[in-house]
């Protein structure tokens, strides 16, 4: 089955600043594809180019077989966009909003009514469709925001951080809606987020994007496998090249490297260090990629005891997309 | 059709926006009422809406009395007697627009069949239209008096001849009487006994005329508020960008010109309704409260065309503001400073002739000046479509210029 989206070396520049630095990826028909990256990584810029909101500086893309540059109106009919902002008219009802967004896609009469009723059902807002959007909760507004991107039945839906500021219940409803659209209607989805849990839950494949570049692209399973059993950060009183080589040779250790300043030592969300509000020390920190976390930790500590080297900090990261991102960039996703 | 969907949506939003409705429709009417003195006229109106004409009666005889009675009875003008020195002083200060001098020998000259001259002195800034109206009334009354005087004199002459020579009765046949009357009619036309002379030219150019203040306020307020609506159009585009719906519109299969057309069309339509409301108030509302109505019905096609072009121009100006302003405060600032400033410069608040006098050609750089001039020509000076062709063309030029600048500077991204 041909890809519904093919992107090749897409670039967006603003003067000297390069917001998107030549990214390439493809999305298969019926796939939920994740764009994972921190704020300012270039996710929204990428989506904006692919939906015709902004013009790419260079590069190519084909959506549904149509060229982004020469067949934009066809591309726009295939695309659905759910922007990060609540792009709604708050003094109008949900139904009036959806009627309007349907009309600008050319829907009229009975067809428009059926489509609006359908998307209201998808986001579970049929009962309150005639209420003014301004009176809705944040989660309900998010759901109308999604419905507005669905009303013209797009083949490819771009969801840009759709759960920002949403309560857990609405977040779950949004996840269910996306899964149902994909499963029952075969809708392809490009889902951007800086929440790795969402991407892990929803997406088949993920592109990790940072500073305008895709730094990794694979299935979630393969991305996590890059880390083997996990990553261990160890702060030490002193480090030398010989010690790094000996640590790398220990059983269950895949690789060892000295983490360059100023990112050391990274405190991950939820880690002991972060919870206790500890500030980074000036001691050197080494990063150990382990085949098996527990076994690697035991071996490393035993080695350090034998050599009588003091341990100043210890962080053990379980393998997930967050630690993959940290491993690849030295930064947290939510930095 | 898609652009119309945007228009329809924006009109829906406008109907729910009480602040904008107030600014579009109620605020202009309040301005008209306050600045045209309409409110005060409710309590002080005497019911006599005739134009006042200051008169210095140097004669005081029966002929002069008949003349004054004739002017008052003619309708449209009522006489007010003044002392000569006081009247001349008031005329110099432009507190009197026109002054009629009845010469000392008026009654005697009339009785003796000698031609007499009435002198109407008009201040250079007096309304040309009003001066012309006064002249028409004076000439009408003077002609009537000339004819009356000459026919009476002729009849008296024939009576005297008849009394002095009863045998000559046959001399005054019907044919002779008719011929005599015709002769008197002709004389009254070619050699009138009462000549009215306007000693100071009323105007050398239309800009020197001082229009009726109430009417000028109505057209000024209309122009001011129609152009103020540019701020509302700009804010609508800004809001669309702020909430993100503009991105959604950009992602829809809709061309950029269609998107902008959809955004300015509501403002254009609303401005037309706004003009209609203000003009209806000027025509019907002012009449109801006893003030002088504005005669829009005199040149309906021209008024409609000027209104359409002005609304187009204001809407295009809205795009320029939306293209230049980056924040809501900048839009507010432009609305307050630029649009009110342009309105002031364009004669929406202070009369155009005053601005011309102090600012020279500067007011001509703003479209409001041309819109005001067009409305003044149509509503105050009673001119027609061909007389405002230049103003229409310049307003259209401004509209096109604003569209070009707006499209050039508009940041769709």
């Amino acid at each position: 089955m041909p890809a519904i989206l093919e992107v090749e070396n897409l670039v967006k520049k603003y003067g000297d600043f390069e917001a998107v630095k030549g990214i390439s990826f493809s999305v298969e028909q019926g796939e939920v594809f994740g764009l994972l990256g921190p704020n300012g990584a270039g996710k929204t810029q990428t989506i904006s180019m692919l939906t015709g909101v902004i013009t790419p500086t260079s590069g190519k893309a084909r959506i549904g077989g149509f060229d982004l540059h020469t067949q934009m109106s066809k591309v726009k009919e295939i695309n659905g966009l759910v922007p990060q902002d609540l792009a709604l008219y708050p003094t109008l009802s949900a139904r009036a909003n959806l009627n309007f967004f349907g009309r600008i896609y050319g829907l009229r009469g009975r067809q428009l009514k059926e489509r609006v009723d359908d998307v209201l059902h998808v986001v579970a807002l049929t009962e309150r469709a005639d209420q003014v959007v301004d009176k809705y909760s944040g989660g309900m507004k998010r759901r109308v925001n999604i419905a507005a991107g669905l009303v013209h039945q797009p083949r490819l839906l771009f969801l840009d951080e759709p759960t920002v500021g949403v309560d857990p219940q609405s977040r779950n409803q949004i996840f269910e809606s996306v899964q149902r659209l994909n499963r029952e209607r075969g809708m392809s989805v490009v889902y951007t987020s800086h929440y790795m849990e969402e991407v892990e839950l929803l997406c088949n494949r993920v592109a990790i994007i940072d500073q305008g570049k895709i730094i990794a692209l694979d299935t979630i399973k393969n991305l996590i496998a890059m880390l083997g059993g996990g990553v261990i950060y160890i702060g030490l009183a002193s480090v030398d090249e010989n010690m790094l080589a000996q640590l790398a040779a220990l059983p269950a250790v895949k690789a060892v490297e000295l983490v360059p300043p100023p990112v050391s030592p990274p405190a991950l969300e939820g880690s002991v260090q972060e919870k206790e509000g500890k500030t980074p020390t000036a001691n050197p920190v080494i990063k150990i990629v382990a085949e098996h976390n527990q076994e690697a930790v035991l071996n490393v500590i035993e080695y350090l005891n034998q050599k009588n080297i003091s341990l100043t900090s210890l962080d053990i990261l379980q393998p997930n997309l967050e630690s993959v991102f940290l491993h690849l960039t030295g930064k947290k996703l939510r930095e | 059709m898609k652009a119309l969907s945007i228009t329809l949506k924006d009109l829906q939003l406008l109907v729910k926006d009480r602040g904008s409705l107030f600014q579009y429709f109620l605020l202009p009417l309040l301005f008209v009422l306050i600045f045209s003195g309409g409110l005060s006229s409710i309590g002080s109106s005497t019911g006599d809406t005739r134009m006042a004409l200051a008169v210095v009666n140097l004669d005081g005889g029966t002929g002069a009395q008949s003349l004054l009675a004739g002017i008052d009875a003619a309708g449209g003008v009522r006489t007010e007697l003044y002392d000569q020195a006081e009247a001349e002083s008031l005329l110099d200060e432009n507190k009197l627009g026109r002054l009629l001098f009845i010469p000392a020998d008026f009654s005697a000259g009339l009785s003796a069949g000698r031609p007499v001259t009435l002198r109407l002195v008009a201040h250079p800034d007096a309304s040309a239209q009003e001066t012309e109206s006064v002249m028409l009334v004076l000439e009408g009354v003077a002609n009537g008096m000339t004819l009356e005087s000459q026919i009476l004199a002729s009849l008296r002459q024939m009576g005297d001849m008849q009394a002095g020579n009863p045998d000559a009765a046959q001399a005054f046949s019907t044919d002779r009487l008719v011929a005599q009357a015709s002769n008197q009619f002709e004389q009254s036309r070619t050699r009138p006994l009462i000549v009215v002379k306007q000693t100071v030219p009323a105007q050398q150019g239309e800009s020197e005329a001082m229009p009726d203040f109430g009417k000028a306020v109505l057209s000024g307020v209309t122009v001011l508020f129609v152009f103020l609506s540019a701020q509302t159009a700009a804010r609508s585009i800004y809001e669309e960008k702020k909430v993100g719906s503009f991105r959604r519109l950009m992602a829809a299969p809709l061309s950029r010109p269609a998107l902008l057309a959809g955004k300015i069309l509501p403002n254009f339509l609303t401005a037309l309704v706004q003009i209609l409301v203000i003009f209806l108030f000027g025509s019907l509302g002012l009449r109801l409260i006893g003030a002088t109505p504005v005669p829009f019905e005199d040149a309906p096609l021209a008024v409609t065309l000027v209104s359409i072009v002005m609304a187009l121009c204001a809407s295009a100006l809205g795009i320029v503001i939306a293209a230049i302003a980056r924040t809501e405060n900048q839009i507010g600032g432009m609305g307050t400073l630029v649009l009110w400033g342009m309105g002031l410069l364009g004669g929406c608040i202070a009369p155009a002739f005053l601005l011309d006098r102090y600012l020279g050609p500067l007011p001509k750089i703003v479209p409001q000046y041309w819109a005001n001039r067009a409305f003044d020509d149509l509503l105050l000076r009673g001119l027609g479509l061909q007389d405002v062709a230049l103003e229409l063309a310049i307003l259209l030029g401004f509209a096109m210029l604003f569209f070009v600048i707006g499209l050039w500077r508009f940041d769709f991204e």
Side-chain angles (χ1 to χ4, degrees), chain B residues 86-379:
Chain B
E86 180 198 5
E88 285 175 343
S89 166
L90 290 171
L91 185 71
D92 286 344
E93 295 167 15
N94 195 19
K95 288 179 180 169
L96 289 177
R98 283 153 293 273
L99 181 56
L100 175 68
F101 284 95
I102 303 177
D105 62 343
F106 181 80
S107 298
L110 207 59
S111 299
R114 275 197 323 270
V116 288
T117 302
L118 290 171
R119 195 157 54 92
L120 180 70
V121 185
H123 189 276
D125 288 337
S127 159
Q129 193 187 9
E130 289 184 4
T131 303
E132 199 175 322
S133 303
V134 170
M135 279 295 286
L136 283 172
V137 170
L138 290 178
E139 283 170 355
V141 173
N143 283 344
M145 285 184 72
T146 296
L147 191 60
E148 180 188 339
S149 175
Q150 286 178 328
I151 287 177
L152 285 175
S154 180
L155 288 173
R156 257 186 233 111
Q157 193 182 7
M158 285 193 293
D160 289 347
M161 286 169 69
Q162 184 76 43
N165 190 4
D167 297 337
Q170 295 303 316
F172 297 105
S173 62
T174 305
D175 289 344
R176 271 194 78 182
L177 284 171
V178 170
Q180 182 71 13
S182 298
N183 186 41
Q184 295 303 327
F185 277 120
E186 183 62 19
Q187 277 193 32
S188 75
R189 196 173 61 78
T190 55
R191 285 182 284 129
L193 273 181
I194 305 171
V195 178
V196 186
K197 284 192 176 173
Q198 191 182 322
T199 56
V200 176
Q203 64 174 37
Q204 291 165 352
E206 55 201 326
S207 61
E208 289 186 359
M210 183 162 71
D212 177 291
F213 189 61
K215 293 174 186 174
V217 161
L218 196 118
S219 59
V221 166
T222 306
V223 173
L224 176 71
F225 277 89
V226 165
F227 276 94
L228 282 180
S229 72
Q231 187 187 12
T232 313
R235 183 165 281 128
S236 165
I237 294 171
Y238 174 80
E239 284 291 325
E240 199 95 58
K241 283 186 166 182
K242 193 175 89 173
V243 302
S245 49
F246 198 80
R247 290 190 70 213
R248 208 162 227 158
L249 297 178
M250 288 291 293
L254 192 69
S255 69
R256 289 179 175 192
L259 171 52
L260 273 191
K263 286 304 296 177
I264 65 161
L265 196 55
N267 190 72
F268 172 72
L269 295 174
T270 311
L272 287 182
V273 176
Q274 184 184 33
I275 294 167
L276 184 69
V277 168
I278 300 172
F279 282 6
L280 278 175
F281 180 76
S283 184
L284 303 175
L286 289 181
R287 198 189 304 269
L288 285 174
I289 62 171
T292 311
V294 181
F296 301 105
E297 61 278 9
D298 289 353
L301 177 65
V303 169
T304 305
L305 276 177
V306 173
S307 301
I308 288 172
V309 176
M310 178 173 69
L312 197 65
C313 194
S315 303
L317 183 58
I319 299 179
V320 175
I321 295 173
I324 293 171
R326 290 279 175 267
T327 65
E328 196 165 10
N329 284 342
Q330 283 179 0
I331 291 174
M334 283 196 192
T336 309
L337 290 174
V338 179
L339 294 176
W340 280 90
M342 286 169 83
L344 182 65
L345 193 60
C348 294
I349 298 164
F353 76 89
L354 272 179
L355 297 170
D356 281 347
R357 192 174 297 167
Y358 294 110
L359 299 173
L362 190 62
K364 293 179 181 174
I365 64 168
V366 294
Q368 285 91 335
Y369 171 84
W370 298 98
N372 271 319
R373 217 170 93 153
F375 279 131
D376 285 352
D377 282 349
L378 295 171
L379 305 177

Side-chain angles (χ1 to χ4, degrees), chain A residues 279-297:
Chain A
T279 53
T281 65
N283 292 317
V285 174
I286 58 170
K287 181 172 85 174
I288 297 170
V289 180
E291 282 170 357
H292 303 286
N293 254 353
Q294 197 175 352
E295 191 183 339
V297 168

Side-chain angles (χ1 to χ4, degrees), chain A residues 44-98:
Chain A
T44 300
Q45 291 286 318
T46 303
I47 281 189
S48 297
M49 284 189 279
L50 296 174
T51 51
V53 175
I54 60 175
T55 310
T57 306
S58 63
K60 295 177 187 171
R62 291 184 78 80
I63 297 177
F66 297 109
D67 184 83
L68 185 69
H69 296 288
T70 58
Q71 294 169 294
M72 182 53 90
S73 61
K74 291 282 183 192
V75 165
K76 285 181 172 183
E77 283 171 14
I78 292 171
N79 285 345
L81 172 65
V82 178
Q84 189 173 344
D85 303 310
L86 287 168
L88 302 166
Y89 304 102
T91 56
L92 300 182
S93 68
R95 191 183 295 281
N97 268 283
L98 297 175

